[in-house]
Amino acid sequence: MSPALAAGAAIAGLIGAVTVGPALPGGHLGVGILVTATAVAYVTGASAWSAGRLVRSGPGKRGSWFNRTGVVFLVLAVLLSASAAVRDADWIVLPALLLAVAAGSYAACGGRSWAEVLGGGLAVVPAVGYMLPWAGRGAYRAASPSRGNAWPVIRTGLIVVVLLAVFGGLFMGADAAFGSLASGLVPEISAVSVFLYAFAGTATLVLTCAAAYLGQAPPPLRMLNPEPATPAGRWSWAVPIAALDLLFLAFCAIQAGVFLADDKDKLLESTGLTYAEYARQGFFQLVVVTVLVLAVIAVAMRYAPSGGRGDRVTVRGLLGLLCALTLVVVAVALRRLYLYEETFGWTRLRLWVHAFEFWLGGVVVLVAVAGVVKGRLAWLPRAVAAGGAVAMIALVSINPDGFIAGHNVDRYEDTGKVDVDYLRGLSADAVPALDRLPEPQRSCALRAIAFDLKDDEPAMGANYARSRAREILKHRPVDDSANCASSYRSD
């Protein structure tokens, strides 16, 4: 590890300590996560740059992978980390942050195949162990006055910290106004806070060093790629796919007959189900069908015959039809889930499954474009991974808890039914929507959230959703005397 990278990693660790550490005592992440993630991404990019992996290979030659894919995934990682600054719901923020780490890890490793994309996303975990001797030697060189050029920077920084601490403390004691201003900038010092700051700084330092190590020495993930498969014969390949196409055609035809029928309940008398029950039945089976179809398409593409034009036309025709019919299955599954949600309300699990099925539909479209329309699969694994990151960013942007609360409030206005016991477990993201409920349901739904928001946050723990919720609750405080016993049974 070069002294410059060692100094950069140390600075990133310090940023993590002073931005993430203060937010840990209250358990509320905020804008500090975004600041720290930007610092880690910068060091990761600098590491790849110093290794020559951000520079084009030469005039007129094709650029290296990091010129495009790596930069895109670094940007996606930073955008995913921004979820901590705008959303309060842990169930959506934590997966977004984990996906940000995976996206940054792949950005440092690179690769085009499925094995390289998956392995690159997970490579940061073993890199923590591999980078220890590499980073240790670099830190020793950086801190050595005789061997490194980073020591003057470190020495100057220590002098600045000591001088500010001594004279700042004297000024705080000499003037009350200055002391009041400075106390808001200086974090609270206690045994617990020091431990949390050290933990945040160490975790950031380790993550930064692991990412920098991957930028310098990406693992040989190409060894994970399977050997090229021997193409199957045309008929032994085409007959099973054609049979599957016919099965999907029959299913889609029955679905069309049911959904287009004027009297749907009469049409379904033989099943013993009403239309609403029929629409809600079998959703998860259809999700499994979609996943299995993607596996079938992957195997079919691997063993698809490619001897001549007739083979290529057969492959594109059968797989294109299967992709199109799979999209119909996705639409049917989403329709069934939507009817279920309209009847019983939205929950986090139902929204997760809804988003996952949407993403599966997007994957089917990408597969169809790559394998059927263009006949080029090299970019497909990267596109699917980027699509997953974009889908998570889109899910964060719609404010999931606010979306769930808003639809349940709309349902209450239409039917008079609402599950307040479930709504009270939502996060501060849901406060604007829950504020529309009448009393006592409003106070019952907001009481727990208001209790969590009563304490102030440090500057680096600032969060848009919590700030907005505090403003709403400040103008319309929760009625602590509201009787919630009957509200919980209103659905």
Side-chain angles (χ1 to χ4, degrees), residues 390-474:
V390 171
M392 178 61 76
I393 293 172
L395 184 60
V396 171
S397 67
I398 69 170
N399 185 7
D401 271 8
F403 180 90
I404 293 168
H407 279 74
N408 280 280
V409 172
D410 292 340
R411 176 172 171 264
Y412 172 74
E413 293 173 350
D414 294 336
T415 65
K417 296 180 179 180
V418 63
D419 187 355
V420 177
D421 194 29
Y422 181 82
L423 295 180
R424 65 196 291 263
L426 298 179
S427 66
D429 299 331
V431 169
L434 297 180
D435 188 54
R436 294 161 42 201
L437 285 170
E439 295 292 354
Q441 286 84 357
R442 175 187 177 275
S443 292
C444 294
L446 293 175
R447 185 173 294 170
I449 301 175
F451 180 80
D452 291 337
L453 295 175
K454 66 178 182 179
D455 296 328
D456 293 331
E457 296 173 336
M460 286 295 107
N463 176 277
Y464 169 76
R466 292 194 293 270
S467 176
R468 187 183 180 191
R470 285 190 177 95
E471 287 296 324
I472 293 174
L473 294 174
K474 180 180 179 180

